[in-house]
């Protein structure tokens, strides 16, 4: 508030004048919120001020009571498109009789609580028009942005979000940009990344680490387009890191990229210039079109059109009927497509895959990319705006209209009674990877609690830091199996703590003793003097889905995935747990019937091993399985029965993911996998949805815990195989039988324990058949299915579950 001079004579405020002070928390900095408040206050002829603080945006308004109340009512509903309000606290304030006008004040620093940094978002329609308007001074500037679009999280070094705290600090504003930046009526008022050709940044093309700049500015983009048309591979600096790009219609170029990246079969995503161009390649529903063109600009999995087989390189997504598609996000990408389109012919389609060697983090800086991608890319499209935080593209699919009711139980953000409630719960989406466009937006929890760090899993890693009633889950980090990715993990731990202004009161890690995050948490907790807890992998899945739905009491959770170490030293993966989100108590009530896991971790890469394991468990002769293994696998297969009999490196597992592997191999769909989940994806796809029948999958209630008899399911499938039933029919009957068995298992245990909510988590829930049909089967039995909507159901949600559970362990400390 303004400094008051008690000796100065003050003019009394008119009668009926009131003053209101509001603190607005959430995603409200760097999104045009203060100029919006300035315009709203002037619209109602109110005096006062607004400023950024570490606690959020503070605004004081003064004027007639009716005008102040109208300002408060309109504040949330008319907020800028990127704003996300989670807190609106208000109180009466002392009148300022001599105050005239409404001012935007300088930001204040300090330790804060309620500030959210906006995710990076796609170029807005206004900037896109200016980008290609010859009369606009920013025409052709590949870094055009305003308060409604552009980079945020990836260029932010500290809070408050002001230019000196971003990677734009080294680009002084030219006089024209300076005028726009300081004009509250301008769309670029306090747009921190604002720039133009006069003040930078700059883009250029380079071919090798110490080589010269081959072209600058628009000429560099034109040269990159020529290289792509010639079948060359371009490493291109984006918003959150580098992409490797090539012509998706050129099989030679795509095959070369796969060879250089050592990625033989894992599907590659493509970028098209528009939704209309995407529709030539894939089926795009209205919901998918909306998601493709959204500010987040994720990769969206869509069904491939039959006619597209002749339009695209066949090795883009081998064996799959879906393709990941995205639209340009950054102005530089739109400009590249404009140059590609100038050559004529069919609309350009580019492969856009993460610029990183396999298993390592995406490249971030120019020198790093020139060194790490030198053996992959032919030329490099670089620029000098630093990326401070690496963030991959998000990947989603639209699961379709739900055939069952899923009540959203998300709590409303706390809000001043004079203000309307914040906007609605999140869209119903199925995340495969949550990163650019969505991170670091928080997940709203059921209530406030201690700050806890969840260190996440080893594969598909994320981490999570809670603060108040929010959980901040990091972007996708990768697989923590090398020092480069682990250094990225440590970098994000430090960065999130700095952005949020908190330090954890406790840490939670996976119970597996050999994970890097387990050792780190124990060492770091001892160094900081905070308690450290271990939580079993599938229990973390359970608490994650319950946290997303703000459940505060008990619920059942089906956790269906690959593998996770159980407290009994067996390998879990097909579990039904009773978890109490309020107390943190949990119990294993049932699981899939166990089978040996011959070869340990090698099984995930060689599904034929699980096929033989199930055959051995059924007492069958291995030859009767008729696996038709390639010659190079036959020696290992001949030895496997001996290893199974001796129990050599063959722990028991209840894994649902390994069950899918076994069936895929038994049906000849996949004997060896080159990427995670390949066997299950191919098995789901080969279903004949017109086929009738389901294999029996009974619940063994005589066991403790209860067991789902998946051996009976496999036995019935093998009988069909012996009779020559088509593969598509058997795949469909397998899915339908498993769904029915899981639903019966959940219904029986729900009745026994008096609960109605059933969470569904784990990587198997990425299977669209399970996602839709298991949820519908539970609803048909009077249960309430809870699906992940804000995080992937796979291991990327583990960190949230760890952190949410950890709060129950420290709440009374």
């Amino acid at each position: 508030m303004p400094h008051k001079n008690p000796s100065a004579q003050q003019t009394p405020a008119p009668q009926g004048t009131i003053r209101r002070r509001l603190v607005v928390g959430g995603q409200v900095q760097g999104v045009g919120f203060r100029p919006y408040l300035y315009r709203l206050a002037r619209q109602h002829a109110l005096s006062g001020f607004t400023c950024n603080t570490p606690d959020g945006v503070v605004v004081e308004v003064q004027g007639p009571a009716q005008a102040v109340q109208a300002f408060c009512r309109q504040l949330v509903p008319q907020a800028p498109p990127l704003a996300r309000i989670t807190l609106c606290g208000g109180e009466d304030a002392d009148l300022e009789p001599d105050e005239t006008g409404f001012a935007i004040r300088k930001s204040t620093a300090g330790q804060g609580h309620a500030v959210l940094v906006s995710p990076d978002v796609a170029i807005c329609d206004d900037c896109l028009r200016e980008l290609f308007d010859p009369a606009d001074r920013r025409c052709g500037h590949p870094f055009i942005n305003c308060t409604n679009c552009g980079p945020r999280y990836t260029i932010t070094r500290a809070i408050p979000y002001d230019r000196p705290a971003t990677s734009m600090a080294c680009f002084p504003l030219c006089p024209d940009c300076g005028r726009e930046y300081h004009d509250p009526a301008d769309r670029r008022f306090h747009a921190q990344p604002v720039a133009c050709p006069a003040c930078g940044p700059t883009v250029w093309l380079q071919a090798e680490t110490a080589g010269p700049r081959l072209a600058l500015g628009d000429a560099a983009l034109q040269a990159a387009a020529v290289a792509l048309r010639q079948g060359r591979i371009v490493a291109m600096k984006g918003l959150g890191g580098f992409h490797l790009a090539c012509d998706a219609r050129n099989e030679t170029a795509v095959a070369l990229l796969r060879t250089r990246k050592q990625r033989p079969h894992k599907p590659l995503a493509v970028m098209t210039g528009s939704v209309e161009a995407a529709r030539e390649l894939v089926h795009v529903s209205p919901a998918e079109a909306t998601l493709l063109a959204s500010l987040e600009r994720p990769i969206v999995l869509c069904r491939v059109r039959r006619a597209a087989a002749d339009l695209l390189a066949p090795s883009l997504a081998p064996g799959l009927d879906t393709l990941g598609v995205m639209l340009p996000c950054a102005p530089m990408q739109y400009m590249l497509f404009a140059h590609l389109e100038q050559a004529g012919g069919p609309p350009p389609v580019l492969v856009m895959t993460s610029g990183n060697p396999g298993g390592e983090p995406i490249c971030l800086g120019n020198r790093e990319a020139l060194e790490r991608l030198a053996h992959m890319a032919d030329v490099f499209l670089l620029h000098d705006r630093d990326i401070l935080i690496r963030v991959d593209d998000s990947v989603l699919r639209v699961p379709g209209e739900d055939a069952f009711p899923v009540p959203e139980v998300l709590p409303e953000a706390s809000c001043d009674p004079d203000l309307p409630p914040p906007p609605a719960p999140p869209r119903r989406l199925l995340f495969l990877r949550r990163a650019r466009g969505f991170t670091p937006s928080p997940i709203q929890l059921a209530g406030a609690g201690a700050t806890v760090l969840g260190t996440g899993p080893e594969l598909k890693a994320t981490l999570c830091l809670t603060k108040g009633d929010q959980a901040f889950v990091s972007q996708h980090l990768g697989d923590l199996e090398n020092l480069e990715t682990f250094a990225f993990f440590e970098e994000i731990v430090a960065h999130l703590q700095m952005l949020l202004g908190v330090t954890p009161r406790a840490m939670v890690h996976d119970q597996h003793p050999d994970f890097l995050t387990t050792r780190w948490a124990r060492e770091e907790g001892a160094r900081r003097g905070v308690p450290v807890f271990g939580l079993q992998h599938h229990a973390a899945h359970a608490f994650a889905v319950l946290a997303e739905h703000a459940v505060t009491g008990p619920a059942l959770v089906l956790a269906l995935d690959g593998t996770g170490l159980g407290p009994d030293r067996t390998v879990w993966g097909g579990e039904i747990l009773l978890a109490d989100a309020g107390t943190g108590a949990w119990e294993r009530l049932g699981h899939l019937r166990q089978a040996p896991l011959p070869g340990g971790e090698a099984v995930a890469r060689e599904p034929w091993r699980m096929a033989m394991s199930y055959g051995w468990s059924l007492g069958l002769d291995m030859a009767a399985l008729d696996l038709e293994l390639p010659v190079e696998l036959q020696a290992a297969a001949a030895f496997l029965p001996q290893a199974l009999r001796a129990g050599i490196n063959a722990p028991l597992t209840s894994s649902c993911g390994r069950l899918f592997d076994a069936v895929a191999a038994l049906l000849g769909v996949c004997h060896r996998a080159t990427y995670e989940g390949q066997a299950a994806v191919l098995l789901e796809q080969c279903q004949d949805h017109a086929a009738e029948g389901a294999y029996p999958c009974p619940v063994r209630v005589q066991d403790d815990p209860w067991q789902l008899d998946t051996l009976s399911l496999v036995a019935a499938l093998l009988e069909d195989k012996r009779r020559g039933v088509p593969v598509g029919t058997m795949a469909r009957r397998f899915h339908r039988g498993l769904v029915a068995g899981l639903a019966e298992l959940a219904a029986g245990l729900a009745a026994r324990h008096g609960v109605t909510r059933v969470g569904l988590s784990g990587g198997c829930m990425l299977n669209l058949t399970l996602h839709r049909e298991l949820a519908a089967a539970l609803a048909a039995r009077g249960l309430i299915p809870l699906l992940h909507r804000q995080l992937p159901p796979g291991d990327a949600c583990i960190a949230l579950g760890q952190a949410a559970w950890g709060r129950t362990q420290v709440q009374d400390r």
Side-chain angles (χ1 to χ4, degrees):
M1 294 180 64
H3 174 73
K4 295 181 180 180
N5 183 353
S7 63
Q9 188 173 0
Q10 296 182 342
T11 305
Q15 192 171 7
T17 297
I18 65 170
R19 188 178 187 90
R20 191 82 172 148
R21 177 183 175 89
L22 304 170
V23 180
V24 185
Q27 193 172 288
V28 289
Q29 295 191 7
V31 296
F33 198 73
R34 289 176 299 160
Y36 158 68
L37 295 175
Y38 174 88
R39 293 190 295 270
L40 189 61
R42 292 190 58 150
Q43 175 185 328
H44 292 286
L46 300 174
S47 65
F49 70 90
T50 182
C51 67
N52 278 341
T53 76
D55 291 323
V57 171
V58 170
V59 56
E60 290 193 16
V61 286
Q62 178 173 300
Q66 189 173 4
V68 170
Q69 289 162 3
F71 174 93
C72 291
R73 282 194 306 272
Q74 294 173 18
L75 191 151
V76 174
Q78 298 180 14
L82 298 187
R84 179 179 176 182
I85 297 170
T86 59
L87 172 71
C88 309
E91 62 183 2
D92 292 330
D94 292 338
L95 294 176
E96 297 292 338
D98 295 329
E99 184 180 64
T100 58
F102 189 90
I104 298 178
R105 295 185 179 174
K106 187 177 179 180
S107 301
T108 62
Q111 296 298 313
H113 178 78
V115 173
L116 302 183
V117 176
S118 166
D120 299 73
V121 294
I123 182 173
C124 68
D125 291 342
D126 289 331
C127 285
L128 188 58
R129 279 192 294 271
E130 293 169 351
L131 181 65
F132 293 105
D133 180 2
D136 193 277
R137 71 185 190 89
R138 289 188 176 85
C139 179
H141 183 54
F143 305 95
I144 188 171
N145 66 85
C146 68
T147 54
N148 296 325
C149 67
R152 297 291 189 276
Y153 177 57
T154 56
I155 65 167
T156 300
R157 184 175 284 110
I159 288 292
Y161 173 75
D162 284 318
R163 195 176 181 96
T166 73
S167 60
M168 290 299 294
C170 57
F171 296 99
L173 292 171
C174 71
D176 288 335
C177 287
R179 279 191 292 273
E180 293 170 334
Y181 182 87
H182 292 101
D183 181 1
D186 195 279
R187 198 175 88 246
R188 293 186 169 91
F189 175 76
H190 281 213
Q192 307 307 335
V194 69
C196 74
C199 50
T202 303
V203 61
W204 68 91
L205 195 74
Q206 190 168 330
E208 53 192 40
T209 304
R213 297 184 177 186
L214 304 177
L216 291 174
D218 190 59
L221 289 158
Q222 189 170 10
V226 170
L228 289 165
R229 286 197 298 269
Q230 292 172 343
R232 303 173 78 189
I233 297 169
V234 177
M236 181 177 179
K237 192 174 184 180
L239 281 178
F242 277 76
H243 285 111
L244 289 168
C246 72
D247 184 355
R249 298 184 188 274
N250 185 330
E251 173 59 23
T252 302
V254 174
L256 180 62
L257 175 59
R258 283 197 175 280
T259 300
R260 291 180 178 179
K261 200 166 170 43
Q262 298 181 8
R263 182 172 170 163
H265 302 114
K266 189 175 182 180
L268 296 166
V270 302
M271 179 180 284
T272 64
S274 65
V275 172
E276 291 70 28
R279 284 198 167 105
E280 294 184 11
L281 312 174
V282 293
H283 297 277
V284 182
S285 70
E288 289 164 341
T290 299
L291 189 56
L292 278 169
S294 67
L295 289 173
E296 294 87 358
R297 287 292 202 283
I299 297 171
V300 181
L301 260 61
C302 301
R303 285 189 306 113
V304 178
R305 290 186 180 276
R306 288 186 181 179
D310 299 327
L311 303 176
L312 294 171
S315 65
L316 281 176
L320 302 181
D321 63 358
T322 57
L323 182 66
V325 182
M326 60 177 159
L327 301 187
C329 175
M332 192 160 77
Q333 294 167 346
Y334 272 103
M335 293 178 66
L336 180 63
F337 267 81
H339 283 298
L340 288 167
E341 289 165 359
Q342 286 175 359
V349 185
L350 296 180
V351 169
M352 281 284 183
T353 189
S354 300
N356 60 312
E360 296 181 15
I362 188 172
C363 287
L364 179 109
N366 294 339
R367 279 177 292 183
E368 176 191 1
L370 287 164
E371 292 173 4
R372 291 174 59 205
L373 304 181
H375 63 293
M376 298 185 194
D378 298 308
V379 291
F380 293 80
L381 193 57
L382 307 174
H383 61 73
D384 52 2
R385 183 179 68 197
D386 288 341
I387 302 170
L388 301 181
I389 300 297
R390 62 189 93 216
V391 180
D392 271 293
D393 298 312
S394 294
V395 185
L396 300 97
R397 58 190 314 181
V398 177
E401 292 300 317
D402 294 315
F404 52 91
V406 182
E408 296 288 356
V409 218
L410 295 173
E412 292 181 352
S414 54
C415 191
D416 186 277
D418 287 346
L419 299 169
R427 292 165 288 180
R428 290 181 178 173
L429 301 171
L430 178 55
F431 278 90
L432 284 76
R433 182 167 72 203
R434 181 182 183 265
R436 179 184 53 76
F438 297 93
T439 304
S441 294
I443 291 166
Q444 196 71 32
L445 301 174
T451 295
V452 175
L453 173 66
T455 60
E458 183 174 56
L459 303 180
K460 300 288 185 290
T462 61
L463 61 93
C464 177
L465 194 61
T466 64
K467 179 182 184 182
D469 60 356
Q470 296 173 330
F472 294 83
V473 181
S474 76
Q475 64 269 42
H476 166 79
L477 302 177
D479 297 341
L480 299 181
E481 297 179 315
N482 56 63
L483 292 178
E484 293 84 1
T485 310
F486 190 72
F488 183 27
F489 164 86
E490 292 184 300
E491 172 190 326
I492 298 303
V493 170
H495 189 67
L496 269 184
Q497 290 181 75
M498 181 278 302
L499 282 186
L500 299 176
V502 296
T503 54
R505 286 183 51 198
M507 298 182 186
V508 183
H509 59 77
D510 192 278
Q511 280 190 332
H512 199 297
D514 297 331
F515 285 0
L516 289 175
T517 50
T518 298
R519 290 181 236 167
W520 180 88
R522 290 171 177 171
E523 293 170 4
E524 189 69 9
R527 185 182 71 81
R528 298 188 186 203
V530 300
V532 177
F533 304 97
L535 180 64
Q536 199 276 332
H537 183 92
H538 299 94
H541 269 295
F543 288 106
V545 70
L546 299 185
E548 273 198 49
H549 288 270
V551 174
T552 57
L556 291 180
V557 177
L558 280 163
L560 310 171
D561 67 357
T563 57
L565 182 65
D568 58 358
R569 311 305 294 177
T570 66
V571 180
W572 291 15
E575 315 303 316
I576 184 162
L577 309 178
L578 178 65
D580 190 323
T583 65
W586 66 276
E587 179 185 1
R588 186 193 202 193
L589 300 181
H591 57 82
L592 272 59
R593 194 165 173 186
Q594 293 175 319
L597 191 71
E601 294 180 0
V603 176
R605 299 185 298 274
E606 299 183 333
W608 65 267
R609 292 175 177 270
M610 278 310 296
M612 294 188 72
S613 171
Y614 271 91
W616 183 82
S617 299
L618 287 166
L620 300 176
D621 181 84
M622 294 296 103
L625 299 180
D626 191 23
L627 289 179
E628 298 182 359
L629 294 176
V631 174
E632 62 269 21
L633 296 178
Q634 290 176 7
F639 171 75
L640 200 67
Q642 300 174 46
L644 287 166
R645 283 193 295 271
I648 299 172
N649 193 21
L652 291 176
T653 183
S654 55
S655 168
C656 188
R658 298 295 80 85
L659 171 65
F660 273 87
D661 289 349
V663 172
L666 288 169
L667 298 186
V669 172
C670 182
H671 290 123
R672 287 184 293 190
T674 61
Y675 61 89
E676 185 185 11
Q678 182 179 6
V681 169
L682 295 173
L683 178 63
E684 180 189 12
Q685 183 176 291
C686 77
Q687 294 177 87
D688 177 359
H689 286 275
E692 297 180 351
Y695 295 132
C697 193
V699 179
R700 294 165 56 102
V701 298
Q702 68 272 25
D703 296 320
D704 186 17
W706 288 13
Q707 292 188 37
L708 190 62
D709 190 3
T710 45
L711 285 182
S712 294
L713 184 151
V714 173
L717 178 140
L718 287 171
E719 176 59 22
D720 264 3
K721 181 180 179 182
R722 186 188 65 78
R723 293 169 46 233
V725 173
V727 168
T729 298
M730 291 188 285
R732 181 65 184 137
R733 289 174 178 174
F734 164 75
H735 279 85
R736 194 180 281 133
L738 182 61
V739 164
L742 289 168
E744 283 301 307
L745 176 65
L749 289 169
R752 187 175 188 180
H753 291 272
V755 296
T756 57
R757 290 176 294 199
V758 182
L760 299 173
S761 190
C764 291
M765 294 310 301
L766 290 169
N767 179 304
L768 208 55
T769 301
L770 284 190
H771 185 93
R772 290 170 173 165
E773 297 182 13
L774 179 53
L778 292 170
R781 289 162 173 79
L783 301 173
I784 302 172
L786 305 177
L787 292 157
H788 286 280
R789 297 300 188 192
Q790 301 175 74
L791 291 176
D795 284 2
C797 74
I798 289 287
L800 171 64
Q802 292 171 341
W805 175 82
R807 298 199 320 163
T808 68
Q809 306 304 297
V810 297
Q811 60 186 0
D812 296 325
R813 285 174 179 254

